[in-house]
Amino acid sequence: MTRCLRPRALLLGAALVLAQPVLGPSTARTATTGSGVDCDRIWQTPEDNGTFYETNRTRIDPRPGHGWTVGSPQSVGMDPAVLEAGLRQLGRERSVFSALVVRHGRLVAERYFHGSRRNHSNNVHSASKSMLQALIGIAVRQGFIGSIDDPVHRYLPEYFADAPAAERRMTLRHLLTMTAGWEWQEDETEDTVEKQRDWVKAIVDRDLAHEPGTAFTYSTGNTHLLSAVLQRASGLNTCEFARRYLFDPLGITAEHWGRDPQGVYSGGYNLYLTPRELAKFGLLYLNQGRWQGRQVVPRETVTQSMRPVVRAGDGYSYAHGWWVRRIGGRIVPFAWGYGGQYIYLLPAADVVVVVTENTRVSHENVDVDLRTFLEDHVLRSVRARG
C-alpha cells in the first residue's frame, strides 16, 4: 500500500474550554443507561491526567460483536479472491490493526492484525470529528441549536464580549468546515492552549489570520469549541448527548472519552471505539442517516458531509466534518483520524470500509493511504462480480 504523505493540515488537533464551566463536572446532567456509557467516569484515565494528548492505550469492549449481520463477499456480489489479496497486503503494513468491509448492510470482511482483536477499543482521534458533525446536526433538529449559521458568540457570549467584528461574524458552519480563520498550527498550538487555565478563552483569544469563511485552516480547536457550544446549548455534556441521541440508537458503547479540565468533552479527539462501531457509524451515513427505520441523523446533515466546501491541498477537500477525495473516478467522503483511523464511504458501490491503525506512544506509526486498497481490491472486487 502507498504510504500516506498527508498535508500538515491532516494531523490530529487541539482543544479548548471555558472559564466558567460549560456544564462541567458539577452541572452537566449524566446517566448510565442504554448503551452502558457512564459519562461520569468515562473520561477518567490516571496515566493521562492533565495532558492534552493521551498515550492511546487499548481498552476492552465487553460486547464487541453486537448488532451486525455477517455475510460472505460472494453473498453481496464481491469477488473474494480480489478482496482477500488486498486484505493480505494491508496486513503486511506494520501499523494496521484492522480492516472491515461492509456491503449492502452486511459485514463481509473483517481482519485483525498485529495482536489486535475484535473487542479492542482504541483512540479514533479525528475520525470523531465526523461524529461531532452528526451531533451538531441532531442538536439543530432537536431545537437546541437554531442553525449552523448561528454565530458562535450567541452560545458563548462571554468569550466574544470584546471580540472584533469579524470574529462576531464567525458561525458554527465555519467551525464545521475548518474556515473559522483563527491562527492555528496543528500539533503545535495545542501545546500552548494546554498550558492555559481556560482552553476556550485561549482559542478565542488567538489572532484572526483570515476572515471567517475564506480560508481552510485545520484546527481541533474549532471542533472542541463545537463541543463547548453543544454542552451550553443542550444542557447535557457532549458524552451524554451522544449517548442519548447517537450511541444508544446504534448500540455503540464508548470505552473512554477525554475531557478538558473544565469538564468539556474532547471535541474531535480522545474518543475510543471498536472498528465494528466505526463501521456502524459509516453505515448510518451511507444510509442517509437512517438506522433500522429511524432517522437518527438528519438527512441534510449527511448531505453536508459529502459536498466539498474548501480545498485542503494534495487532492483533498473538506466538507462539514468529513474529508472528501476522488477514488475510482468518484468523489467520496471519509472520516480521517490521526495515524490512519478511516471510515470510507463508497456510495456508488454501497460499501463502507473501516481501517484502524496503532497510535500507541510506544509504536512508530506509519499512516497508510488506502487508495490502492479501495481502487484495486474493494471496487475491483465489485466490478469483477458484475
Side-chain angles (χ1 to χ4, degrees):
M1 297 296 162
T2 304
R3 298 284 193 256
C4 184
L5 303 178
R6 301 181 295 168
R8 178 68 177 174
L10 305 176
L11 296 175
L12 178 64
L16 24 136
V17 125
L18 315 175
Q20 59 183 29
V22 181
L23 297 174
S26 62
T27 57
R29 298 197 300 269
T30 60
T32 306
T33 58
S35 66
V37 174
D38 185 347
C39 293
D40 285 326
R41 297 185 179 184
I42 194 172
W43 59 274
Q44 296 175 358
T45 175
E47 71 272 23
D48 296 311
N49 188 30
T51 62
F52 187 88
Y53 289 117
E54 298 190 349
T55 56
N56 306 327
R57 70 175 178 87
T58 298
R59 270 77 173 177
I60 301 299
D61 187 333
R63 56 170 197 173
H66 180 70
W68 273 106
T69 298
V70 178
S72 65
Q74 299 97 312
S75 70
V76 295
M78 301 180 78
D79 187 317
V82 174
L83 185 58
E84 183 60 34
L87 292 167
R88 286 197 303 270
Q89 191 173 350
L90 266 183
R92 288 194 286 269
E93 297 288 346
R94 69 183 185 190
S95 293
V96 173
F97 264 167
S98 71
L100 283 66
V101 178
V102 177
R103 190 173 196 220
H104 300 336
R106 297 182 182 182
L107 182 61
V108 297
E110 182 176 25
R111 300 288 187 277
Y112 296 92
F113 310 104
H114 308 300
S116 188
R117 300 287 184 271
R118 180 185 298 171
N119 65 343
H120 285 189
S121 177
N122 287 290
N123 195 340
V124 303
H125 299 286
S126 291
S128 62
K129 287 177 171 60
S130 302
M131 294 185 174
L132 189 60
Q133 187 256 357
L135 298 180
I136 294 297
I138 293 169
V140 172
R141 181 188 62 191
Q142 296 299 121
F144 296 119
I145 292 173
S147 163
I148 62 172
D149 291 314
D150 284 352
V152 181
H153 73 77
R154 178 174 300 175
Y155 299 95
L156 305 172
E158 67 273 30
Y159 294 99
F160 290 83
D162 299 318
E167 286 191 10
R168 294 182 64 83
R169 292 193 292 271
M170 191 181 297
T171 67
L172 303 185
R173 188 187 299 273
H174 294 142
L175 299 179
L176 285 164
T177 58
M178 297 295 174
T179 59
W182 279 307
E183 184 279 326
W184 189 275
Q185 184 63 54
E186 192 76 356
D187 268 354
E188 295 181 11
T189 304
E190 45 274 62
D191 292 337
T192 300
V193 171
E194 181 185 52
K195 294 179 176 65
Q196 306 304 308
R197 181 178 179 182
D198 184 336
W199 290 3
V200 164
K201 186 176 187 303
I203 298 305
V204 175
D205 285 352
R206 296 196 66 79
D207 291 338
L208 200 65
H210 305 281
E211 176 76 18
T214 64
F216 175 84
T217 302
Y218 188 80
S219 166
T220 303
N222 291 346
T223 48
H224 192 77
L225 191 56
L226 283 171
S227 180
V229 168
L230 183 62
Q231 295 196 174
R232 177 67 65 84
S234 69
L236 300 168
N237 65 50
T238 302
C239 174
E240 173 62 15
F241 190 94
R243 184 205 64 77
R244 184 176 299 186
Y245 293 105
L246 182 62
F247 291 171
D248 275 5
L250 270 63
I252 287 176
T253 304
E255 278 62 56
H256 173 69
W257 197 340
R259 72 180 194 186
D260 69 24
Q262 306 228 1
V264 173
Y265 279 81
S266 302
Y269 61 105
N270 293 344
L271 175 62
Y272 288 63
L273 300 168
T274 67
R276 281 191 169 201
E277 289 169 332
L278 292 178
K280 283 185 176 182
F281 182 68
L283 185 58
L284 173 73
Y285 265 60
L286 190 69
N287 290 334
Q288 298 298 310
R290 294 187 66 81
W291 187 263
Q292 296 179 348
R294 174 181 174 184
Q295 193 73 42
V296 176
V297 175
R299 189 182 184 95
E300 180 182 6
T301 300
V302 177
T303 299
Q304 290 166 348
S305 76
M306 300 183 180
R307 291 178 177 170
V309 172
V310 59
R311 292 180 180 177
D314 288 0
Y316 297 93
S317 295
Y318 205 76
H320 289 68
W322 290 68
W323 294 93
V324 181
R325 70 187 299 199
R326 188 172 293 276
I327 296 290
R330 296 178 182 271
I331 296 296
V332 301
F334 64 105
W336 189 356
Y338 166 76
Q341 324 310 316
Y342 294 108
I343 309 171
Y344 265 91
L345 310 184
L346 307 174
D350 197 28
V351 166
V352 177
V353 173
V354 167
V355 170
T356 65
E357 296 190 34
N358 184 355
T359 60
R360 297 169 188 155
V361 294
S362 59
H363 175 77
E364 186 177 351
N365 172 267
V366 178
D367 191 344
V368 176
D369 187 346
L370 296 185
R371 177 186 292 277
T372 299
F373 177 66
L374 296 171
E375 292 184 339
D376 293 353
H377 298 282
V378 176
L379 292 177
R380 185 174 159 227
S381 74
V382 173
R383 292 193 296 268
R385 299 289 291 187

